[in-house]
Amino acid sequence: MALPSPNPTPHEPDIAMWGGVGSGKTAFLASLSVALNRAEGANEGWRIIGADDVSNSELTRLRTNLLEHRIFPRPTDVLTSYNWLVIGPPTRGRRVWWAPWKRHPARAPKITFSFLDGPGGLFGKSEYSVSKEELIKSLVKSRGLIYLFDPDRRGQISDAFKNLDVALREVESQMLGDDKYLDGKLPHYIAVCITKYDEPNILRLAEEYTDHGLELPRVPDDQARDFFREVLARDLDQNAGIIMRLLEASFHESRIKYFVTSSIGMYADPDKGFDPDDPSNIIDVPGQDQKIRGAVHPINIMEPVIWLGRMLYPKTMGRER
Amino acid sequence: MSTVRAQWAIHGKLDRSWEEYAVIDSSHEPLARSDFTRIIDLFKSGTMEAHEQTKVGTSYFTGADGQSWVGLSRQSESDSRDGLGRIFAITEFVCVPWRELPASRVSYRALYDALNKRGGLPGPQPVILEVAGYDAAYLAGKVTDIARAAAALLLTGEHVCVVGADHLDFRERLDFLDAAAALLPYGFRRELAVSTWTSSSTRHRIRLSFAEVAPPDSTFKLQWRPDGSARVHDVPGSERIRSYVMQYEETLRGYQGQAMTNLIGFLAGQIEPRSFEKPEDCRSALSLLREPLPEPQPKPRPQPLPKPLEPAVRDQHTMSAKSPVQLLEDVLDAFRRWDRPRLGQLILRLRELADAGIPDPDRLSCRQLVRTSRLRFQSYRLNLPELQSFVPSLVNLLFTAPVQTGDIMEVILPEDKERRPTLNLRQLVCEELALLPGDQLSPAAKLLVADFSGRKQLQSMLSEMADEKLMEAAYELQSEVPTRIAVDEIIRRLFQEKSNMIDIVGQSNYLLRPIRFIASGEERIRYYRNVINACLGSPPRPEGLETILRQVSEIPEDFRAAAVLEAPPRSSSVLLTAIVMDDVRRQGLEGTPTGIAIDDRLSRMATPATEPTQTDEQTDDQDDDQDDEKPRRLNRVRNTLEGLFGVRFFGILVFVFAIAMTVVLVVRLR
């Protein structure tokens, strides 16, 4: 019996994303456009649009759910692809030697981000699955990775380990089998995101790494790795400690960057601002979806994407670390 | 009604679970849980989002033993939450061996209704589903141009996606999918995956589905329109496939009303498995469609009884074994003989039968019997209790709610409009239909019945009918006179400048189809002129005409002529743009470089000149042409040079040349 082929993905993914069940992958994507709109300072002026009608409508849906309906995305059931364009602020026009009297028009950096968002538990399944195969393919073909780790999964760290371990083994067996990568490391840039920083217990755990000098607390990027190590060390599961070693053994150390992120941020009262004793931005409504309590203040959501963009497109965006 | 044994599974999460979606319960034999996981995984149509309607989809697969299965899933929100407090989706899945389906000719809707009626799914044994019979008349009533186009396009082997139907209830979408599938030989259902909703950002395997936006690939996109109109224009692939699809769609258009019901019944009999991936199967579908439909089987005559009995006694013995047609024949016979004792019993039995409902083929035969009956009733007999109880039962037997015009047209004849001292059976049926509550008849059927009941009834019906219902009736009616009445009434309301009516007419393609149905030649142009004139309002403005022409998809020649005749002053560019862009769309040039160039050129041509006289205009045009010619020549030279030397080299050349000329000038000046 002939099985129809699925409608093809129009773009190969530049960036792939993976993480365990409920690690916040879709919420990350939903808040990306909000983060870009809210950005100030060096990251100001960035925006995101859909590269086609489908991605545009998905982007609108994700934004509407987050900002208007004030709800989180439902658990992802099936592999979903998003093809987005992230457009930066235009650079100053350049002069060229053959026409020094005129300035060339300013050009905005434009990066295609094609994400594949799949159910978190795909790698935990031992049996073959079409979606799992496609997700592995996307990890192999992409050049940048976003790995989401949920530190609030009480007793679920072993899942996260299994998820990471299986995925890395599959990708390594496909990429390192031949002599293409002589150093035995995967060539990707990887942004490791420790998610759900807005959860009160994570905030408490991150207390000593937190920079309180800002409107909302935040773990600076140079502290993120240490915080990740602490999160893993506190877990009773003996595999937890291996997660960081697994990552640093599989990728070049210079190509890994850690971020402590939150898709919705902490609750900040419009008049009084952030209250450390009342940080939760989520309300539990019986029989309904959980609601977002106040304004959405994404923390470190656009930064991993812009960092990967800078690493992957140094000419367009200017490389920095 | 037939029964099928279905295997079942439930896919979702357990309450407060931290696990991923999985099959959480299922029947045990002969399919394993891994089979269910695989099949549900393969035919997922996208993550179920908040505020989404229930999703119904079909799938198919081959079991480990080589047996083919057809599945149906119903996905809805759960009452529980997962470990993270998120509401998740629960999918109820049933599947039936393919070999059991053709025997019962199960439709998707019937399978869904059976699953719905069944309630909970018990384990681990299979579930017995009571599935309604294949209702060809019901499916024929759901066939629209979009369904025809979808069926024809499916034969290319590509996916088909219907957009713009977000507002429809999922059951209506399921009926549409069923209707499109019914326009193909039944054997294709073995490999047809459909879904009432898909997310186009998901890489799904659903051949025919609804979505908000069509996927950006080779999937065919069909736009849902309220009037159901659609036409296949652009079919990629070889000329042969294109012509083949067009022919299939065109052939389907030839079947209307009862002929469509017959065709669907015939196609349901084509049960040998077919594949969309096999061109020969698709080709043979067209040849099948062109075959003359088989003649209906002759009605079985009642078997002669061993011993002749008195009519009343005989009926008492055999009534329960009689088919509805035979029973109706007996009733009519009893009326003819005015056999009152026998009549009472027969009418009683007929009423019971009508209340219980009869299969569609029997209903069609009964309609035929009433249509051909010569029985007439004197007016003094109309109040007799036998007749008073017979006619409502007969109407109940002949029709199911909501009654459509096609159903009525199968019973009544044009001459029934004439009134005589005696009334025939059809006229009595018509009068009874006029008494039915409003929701029992479709708007068009109401108009049709009122038209047959007399001018007064028609006038009162028209005056009460809402604008939307009137428009619905104009599109649905398949009879010339009431359609003309509906169209005239719409135009009359348009001239009253009711903005609501103007909007409705705009959304319904400016009555193109009903007017095409009732008028031709100059009369048709006159109708179109009236519609355009009324919609333009007073004073007519070019922008109004532009709006009208933009809303009409595929502007027919006679509508163009009417638009020219009704065009307000200074609207030539609007007309030209609309007509040319319509041609661009028809030829599939929209968005191509040629299409964009034409659009640009039209925009430039439409730039208003400052009150030019006729001679000024001509001069301006000539000047324009000359002005255009200069940069064009320069560009040509530049392009040639650029082609030869490249852009940078050309820039350098010009720069060096300029410096050289400056040096020469300076030297000379010295």
Side-chain angles (χ1 to χ4, degrees), chain B residues 52-113:
Chain B
E52 240 181 50
Q53 288 192 56
T54 299
K55 282 199 272 190
V56 181
T58 63
S59 49
Y60 59 90
F61 65 106
T62 308
D65 56 353
Q67 182 170 200
S68 297
W69 295 78
V70 170
L72 180 128
S73 63
R74 177 179 63 179
Q75 191 178 48
S76 52
E77 270 184 5
S78 71
D79 301 328
S80 322
R81 295 185 183 191
D82 67 3
L84 282 158
R86 301 177 295 182
I87 292 174
F88 53 85
I90 282 283
T91 306
E92 287 162 276
F93 176 80
V94 285
C95 58
V96 183
W98 163 254
R99 62 164 193 270
E100 283 188 27
L101 284 184
S104 329
R105 314 281 196 279
V106 176
S107 69
Y108 297 145
R109 180 63 192 265
L111 199 55
Y112 166 77
D113 285 340

Side-chain angles (χ1 to χ4, degrees), chain A residues 4 7 9 81 284-285 288, chain B residues 18 49 60 81 201 203 217:
Chain A
N7 43 356
T9 310
S81 64
D284 219 352
V285 188
Q288 288 181 31
Chain B
W18 289 89
E49 299 296 339
Y60 59 90
R81 295 185 183 191
S201 56
R203 302 187 62 196
D217 55 26

Side-chain angles (χ1 to χ4, degrees), chain A residues 107-123:
Chain A
R107 180 175 286 187
K110 205 182 279 181
I111 316 154
T112 309
F113 282 121
S114 303
F115 295 102
L116 218 48
D117 181 18
L122 271 184
F123 293 109

Side-chain angles (χ1 to χ4, degrees), chain A residues 5-301:
Chain A
S5 51
N7 43 356
T9 310
H11 310 280
E12 290 298 350
D14 295 325
I15 294 181
M17 191 170 58
W18 97 102
V21 183
S23 57
K25 296 178 291 299
T26 318
F28 182 96
L29 293 175
S31 66
L32 182 57
S33 71
V34 184
L36 290 169
N37 291 152
R38 280 185 167 270
E40 290 171 356
N43 288 330
E44 196 177 332
W46 287 84
R47 64 189 198 282
I48 191 163
I49 58 168
D52 49 52
D53 287 350
V54 174
S55 301
N56 238 339
S57 103
E58 287 296 325
L59 189 61
T60 310
R61 186 181 55 73
L62 289 171
R63 264 179 82 97
T64 309
N65 277 345
L66 205 65
L67 297 179
E68 284 177 32
H69 301 145
R70 314 195 64 72
I71 53 173
F72 290 95
R74 291 279 170 84
T76 306
D77 183 18
V78 62
L79 214 56
T80 311
S81 64
Y82 301 99
N83 301 303
W84 292 343
L85 275 178
V86 178
I87 303 173
T91 52
R92 202 154 172 260
R94 290 180 302 131
R95 288 185 196 282
V96 281
W97 64 267
W98 65 84
W101 57 87
K102 71 170 186 182
R103 196 180 276 278
H104 272 236
R107 180 175 286 187
K110 205 182 279 181
I111 316 154
T112 309
F113 282 121
S114 303
F115 295 102
L116 218 48
D117 181 18
L122 271 184
F123 293 109
K125 291 179 181 172
S126 52
E127 70 264 34
Y128 168 83
S129 125
V130 180
S131 303
K132 182 171 158 184
E133 192 192 333
E134 285 180 22
L135 196 54
I136 295 281
K137 209 188 289 174
S138 87
L139 295 181
V140 169
K141 291 199 170 173
S142 63
R143 295 189 295 145
L145 302 175
I146 295 177
Y147 172 64
L148 287 102
F149 177 85
D150 176 7
D152 193 34
R153 295 289 305 277
R154 296 163 289 274
Q156 299 292 316
I157 296 276
S158 58
D159 267 4
F161 168 73
K162 191 173 175 188
N163 191 291
L164 180 73
D165 187 43
V166 173
L168 285 181
R169 267 191 289 119
E170 296 263 9
V171 175
E172 281 176 335
S173 74
Q174 290 195 28
M175 295 189 79
L176 306 179
D178 53 22
D179 291 337
K180 196 172 173 189
Y181 303 103
L182 292 172
D183 55 4
K185 301 239 180 188
L186 292 171
H188 305 78
Y189 286 90
I190 177 166
V192 179
C193 298
I194 300 112
T195 57
K196 304 193 183 168
Y197 176 50
D198 54 288
E199 294 279 339
N201 47 338
I202 304 298
L203 265 176
R204 270 194 300 278
L205 194 63
E207 183 63 33
E208 67 173 284
Y209 303 94
T210 300
D211 178 357
H212 291 286
L214 303 162
E215 199 180 330
L216 287 176
R218 175 188 280 255
V219 175
D221 293 351
D222 56 357
Q223 297 284 310
R225 185 174 179 276
D226 293 339
F227 172 60
F228 188 38
R229 202 198 332 242
E230 168 135 6
V231 169
L232 297 174
R234 283 186 177 229
D235 198 87
L236 295 176
D237 191 302
Q238 52 189 357
N239 287 329
I242 310 176
I243 288 181
M244 188 180 257
R245 262 180 275 158
L246 203 59
L247 280 169
E248 293 181 348
S250 301
F251 299 93
H252 291 274
E253 213 170 311
S254 60
R255 294 185 178 189
I256 307 174
K257 191 165 182 184
Y258 296 88
F259 298 87
V260 180
T261 69
S262 164
S263 297
I264 56 162
M266 279 64 85
Y267 175 69
D269 188 278
D271 301 322
K272 299 173 197 161
F274 171 68
D275 176 2
D277 296 326
D278 183 20
S280 180
N281 205 6
I282 300 171
I283 313 170
D284 219 352
V285 188
Q288 288 181 31
D289 290 286
Q290 287 179 324
K291 293 263 177 195
I292 298 166
R293 184 179 166 198
V296 176
H297 297 283
I299 296 173
N300 266 340
I301 295 296

Side-chain angles (χ1 to χ4, degrees), chain B residues 178-195:
Chain B
D178 230 351
L183 296 176
L184 298 168
Y186 193 90
F188 276 117
R189 291 201 187 218
R190 195 182 75 135
E191 286 191 9
L192 181 57
V194 300
S195 179

Side-chain angles (χ1 to χ4, degrees), chain B residues 230-450:
Chain B
R231 192 95 202 197
V232 178
H233 297 296
D234 192 17
V235 183
S238 69
E239 187 55 38
R240 210 166 146 203
I241 291 180
R242 180 185 158 82
S243 102
Y244 174 67
V245 167
M246 299 295 214
Q247 283 178 56
Y248 199 86
E249 191 200 16
E250 202 54 53
T251 316
L252 284 176
R253 275 173 195 276
Y255 291 89
Q256 302 284 343
Q258 183 56 40
M260 178 54 84
T261 307
N262 294 345
L263 174 72
I264 289 178
F266 168 69
L267 289 171
Q270 307 305 308
I271 55 173
E272 65 281 11
R274 288 165 193 263
S275 168
F276 291 102
E277 306 292 328
K278 288 186 188 163
E280 64 273 19
D281 281 356
C282 297
R283 269 198 300 276
S284 70
L286 179 61
S287 356
L288 208 59
L289 209 61
R290 289 180 165 174
E291 275 176 21
L293 294 186
E295 289 294 317
Q297 293 296 311
K299 268 185 298 191
R301 301 299 305 165
Q303 292 295 315
L305 293 168
K307 264 197 248 168
L309 298 169
E310 284 300 313
V313 182
R314 185 188 66 201
D315 284 323
Q316 221 166 15
H317 281 265
T318 57
M319 252 188 306
S320 56
K322 278 180 189 291
S323 74
V325 188
Q326 288 167 336
L327 189 65
L328 187 58
E329 273 176 346
D330 287 354
V331 176
L332 300 184
D333 183 55
F335 265 118
R336 217 169 279 124
R337 296 167 192 266
W338 198 233
D339 185 350
R340 290 188 87 168
R342 186 174 161 227
L343 204 50
Q345 287 176 5
L346 287 167
I347 291 173
L348 199 66
R349 173 68 193 132
L350 192 79
R351 190 194 294 161
E352 284 169 10
L353 205 63
D355 288 345
I358 59 170
D360 284 322
D362 286 343
R363 190 175 296 120
L364 292 178
S365 307
C366 289
R367 283 180 191 165
Q368 212 169 4
L369 187 61
V370 173
R371 190 183 168 89
T372 51
S373 166
R374 292 181 165 195
L375 197 62
R376 299 192 79 89
F377 296 89
Q378 299 291 338
S379 49
Y380 70 87
R381 278 192 171 179
L382 295 181
N383 288 330
L384 288 171
E386 285 84 357
L387 206 54
Q388 291 279 329
S389 83
F390 166 63
V391 179
S393 302
L394 180 62
V395 167
N396 205 6
L397 187 83
L398 295 178
F399 304 102
T400 53
V403 181
Q404 306 290 333
T405 47
D407 304 337
I408 302 171
M409 294 299 287
E410 282 173 14
V411 177
I412 56 176
L413 294 168
E415 59 261 31
D416 294 332
K417 281 182 84 173
E418 294 168 24
R419 298 274 140 175
R420 292 187 197 169
T422 55
L423 291 178
N424 65 28
L425 197 52
R426 300 182 297 272
Q427 287 167 322
L428 289 179
V429 167
C430 222
E431 283 188 356
E432 185 63 31
L433 281 171
L435 299 175
L436 286 179
D439 59 337
Q440 302 273 298
L441 293 167
S442 75
K446 272 185 212 164
L447 267 187
L448 187 65
V449 168

